[in-house]
Amino acid sequence: MARAAIAGEDARFCSHHGFDFKAMASAAYRNAQGGRIRGGSTISQQTAKNAFLFQGGGYIRKAFEAWFTFLIETLWGKRRIMEVYLNIAETGIGTYGANAGAMRYFGHDASHLSPTEAARIAAVLPLPKKREAVAPTGFVRRHGNVITRYVGVVRRQGLDSCIR
């Protein structure tokens, strides 16, 4: 599940210190072009938001998110950040954590997820209230398939080296 999260959410998780400035700049550029708004948040930023803050937007919340991101990157380390992220991320309406998502969608513990199942849960993470991992259609199916392929890349290229 951790590899699927890295593949789907933050490919540079092990190489940044909480903020992926390249991803933020890319998201800002794409958003300036118009169309669907894209985010550039890292897993560390999402963990800080989910663990300590409210879900709304705004610059004040973003400032607190940056502070908490700095703190968790300094105090916890990458393994702990990933552990907390996977335990509190919303994986469906009223479902929090990868294990709860695995039980809800696939009927078994997260430790037994196949790469495809983990990828489907990872594909749900950006919009868990609007997406389902079971019998996915459209975006979740396409994005889940891409994540499934990229999980192998994450492993082979050591993009998960900080959590092993």
Side-chain angles (χ1 to χ4, degrees):
M1 189 64 227
R3 285 183 181 131
I6 290 171
E9 295 285 304
D10 186 359
R12 289 185 281 275
F13 176 70
C14 289
S15 62
H16 63 63
H17 299 288
F19 305 95
D20 186 344
F21 296 106
K22 189 174 181 180
M24 285 189 239
S26 177
Y29 177 77
R30 283 192 314 264
N31 294 340
Q33 303 300 312
R36 201 180 98 205
I37 299 293
R38 302 283 308 248
S41 293
T42 64
I43 287 174
S44 301
Q45 289 173 284
Q46 292 174 50
T47 303
K49 178 190 70 175
N50 291 341
F52 302 113
L53 301 168
F54 54 93
Q55 297 301 310
Y59 294 114
I60 293 173
R61 202 241 31 221
K62 280 290 190 187
F64 279 112
E65 180 183 304
W67 173 247
F68 282 114
T69 300
F70 168 76
L71 286 176
I72 67 174
E73 279 280 339
T74 302
L75 299 173
W76 287 358
K78 296 293 187 173
R79 284 182 66 102
R80 178 68 178 152
I81 291 168
M82 181 61 74
E83 177 185 8
V84 171
Y85 176 71
L86 292 176
N87 279 308
I88 65 174
E90 189 172 14
T91 55
I93 297 172
T95 307
Y96 295 89
N99 196 57
M103 295 300 290
R104 174 182 179 170
Y105 296 123
F106 305 111
H108 57 79
D109 192 80
S111 64
H112 295 97
L113 285 172
S114 71
T116 300
E117 291 168 339
R120 286 186 178 171
I121 291 174
V124 166
L125 290 174
L127 284 172
K129 288 181 170 66
K130 296 183 178 184
R131 298 180 179 153
E132 290 280 332
V134 172
T137 59
F139 174 83
V140 175
R141 178 177 294 279
R142 287 189 310 276
H143 191 49
N145 290 342
V146 169
I147 292 171
T148 300
R149 288 190 299 275
Y150 196 55
V151 163
V153 174
V154 168
R155 185 180 38 51
R156 284 189 303 278
Q157 292 188 2
L159 300 177
D160 62 343
S161 61
C162 64
I163 59 169
R164 287 190 212 158

